[in-house]
Amino acid sequence: QSYLLKNLKLVRGVGFLDTDFYRPLETQILKAKYNISEEKNFIISFGCQSLTDERKGMSYMIEALNMVYERMTEDEKIRVMLLAIGNDGDIIKDKLKIDYQWLGYIPISSLPEFYSMSNVFVCSSVNDAGPSMLAQSLACGTPLVSFEMGAALDVLVGQNNGISVKLRDAQGLADGILEILRMPKEDYLTLRKSCRNYALENNSRESFVKQV
């Protein structure tokens, strides 16, 4: 409806990333590298550059993860672990009830390892144009649980890449995490393949060229 744009044809484009760099890596090798116990066979990951940034919604993350802890069985508590990255972790890590490993601020070169070790990447951002971590996670074959905002509206809502929930709904995040945790193995493996295929078809350099 803009006077400047009303006679122009507008095409919505999707960003791209290097899907050769962001790719699934061997999980068992990575767990050994990062000294993660073999009994921890379900890893919930989250993180951002600064965990004190209100836009990243860490208060909802903590609330959701503690809800997950309260609803897990004793067996699940033994085999589930949190894996987190980012600055200022000391501010929230003592509030977490699930076993965790904090990697701190990691270089970009280590991000594919971070995603590949994870069974699900959880995003609690409440005001974000991205985050780019959603597409990166999918390229590594790792499903998502996220609020419906930002990039999640494109890569998650209506796609078979994980679970999207209403904005600021911590209970919804917890429900989504538990749903993936308790998913039958074959269904989960299919979900991982769907994530990787989505990234190749929509976020690779080749797909971007085709769109242009």
Side-chain angles (χ1 to χ4, degrees), residues 64-82:
L65 292 174
N66 288 340
M67 287 180 185
V68 169
Y69 178 84
E70 297 300 331
R71 292 166 59 186
M72 286 194 300
T73 65
E74 292 304 313
D75 176 68
E76 288 170 341
K77 288 177 182 178
I78 291 172
R79 66 188 190 88
V80 171
M81 190 186 89
L82 304 178

Side-chain angles (χ1 to χ4, degrees), residues 2-64:
S2 163
Y3 176 80
L4 294 175
L5 302 179
K6 64 182 180 180
N7 295 321
L8 297 180
K9 180 180 179 182
L10 303 180
V11 178
R12 176 181 167 276
V14 178
F16 69 89
L17 48 75
D18 186 347
T19 50
D20 291 327
F21 175 73
Y22 290 104
R23 69 188 192 281
L25 302 174
E26 179 54 52
T27 303
Q28 293 307 116
I29 294 175
L30 294 174
K31 285 185 175 180
K33 177 180 178 178
Y34 287 88
N35 297 314
I36 296 175
S37 170
E38 291 185 3
E39 71 177 359
K40 297 299 183 182
N41 60 14
F42 191 89
I43 295 180
I44 303 167
S45 68
F46 66 95
C48 57
Q49 186 169 358
S50 176
L51 295 156
T52 58
D53 187 340
E54 291 186 7
R55 296 181 305 110
K56 301 300 182 179
M58 282 299 128
S59 61
Y60 299 102
M61 179 72 74
I62 295 168
E63 184 180 357

Side-chain angles (χ1 to χ4, degrees), residues 2-212:
S2 163
Y3 176 80
L4 294 175
L5 302 179
K6 64 182 180 180
N7 295 321
L8 297 180
K9 180 180 179 182
L10 303 180
V11 178
R12 176 181 167 276
V14 178
F16 69 89
L17 48 75
D18 186 347
T19 50
D20 291 327
F21 175 73
Y22 290 104
R23 69 188 192 281
L25 302 174
E26 179 54 52
T27 303
Q28 293 307 116
I29 294 175
L30 294 174
K31 285 185 175 180
K33 177 180 178 178
Y34 287 88
N35 297 314
I36 296 175
S37 170
E38 291 185 3
E39 71 177 359
K40 297 299 183 182
N41 60 14
F42 191 89
I43 295 180
I44 303 167
S45 68
F46 66 95
C48 57
Q49 186 169 358
S50 176
L51 295 156
T52 58
D53 187 340
E54 291 186 7
R55 296 181 305 110
K56 301 300 182 179
M58 282 299 128
S59 61
Y60 299 102
M61 179 72 74
I62 295 168
E63 184 180 357
L65 292 174
N66 288 340
M67 287 180 185
V68 169
Y69 178 84
E70 297 300 331
R71 292 166 59 186
M72 286 194 300
T73 65
E74 292 304 313
D75 176 68
E76 288 170 341
K77 288 177 182 178
I78 291 172
R79 66 188 190 88
V80 171
M81 190 186 89
L82 304 178
L83 187 66
I85 58 174
N87 291 322
D88 310 311
D90 290 338
I91 294 175
I92 74 166
K93 66 183 184 181
D94 291 336
K95 300 177 183 179
L96 300 171
K97 298 178 181 179
I98 301 174
D99 294 340
Y100 65 84
Q101 182 169 329
W102 207 277
L103 301 181
Y105 187 82
I106 65 174
I108 290 175
S109 59
S110 297
L111 283 174
E113 296 181 343
F114 169 71
Y115 296 121
S116 294
M117 284 189 288
S118 308
N119 293 88
V120 60
F121 178 76
V122 184
C123 175
S124 59
S125 289
V126 295
N127 182 7
D128 206 320
S132 57
M133 296 182 81
L134 296 180
Q136 294 167 1
S137 180
L138 293 180
C140 294
T142 302
L144 306 171
V145 175
S146 173
F147 289 142
E148 293 179 349
M149 61 94 242
L153 297 172
D154 297 321
V155 305
L156 193 52
V157 177
Q159 308 293 339
N160 186 30
N161 294 326
I163 298 168
S164 60
V165 302
K166 292 181 180 178
L167 191 62
R168 303 179 191 275
D169 181 5
Q171 180 69 64
L173 282 185
D175 292 343
I177 294 168
L178 286 168
E179 181 176 337
I180 293 180
L181 168 62
R182 294 165 179 169
M183 189 175 286
K185 183 177 180 179
E186 289 302 316
D187 292 346
Y188 177 74
L189 292 176
T190 299
L191 178 60
R192 288 191 72 97
K193 290 179 182 178
S194 176
C195 292
R196 175 63 179 172
N197 289 337
Y198 177 90
L200 293 174
E201 293 171 5
N202 295 276
N203 299 115
S204 67
R205 294 171 187 264
E206 292 79 9
S207 67
F208 180 78
V209 170
K210 290 179 181 178
Q211 290 173 51
V212 174

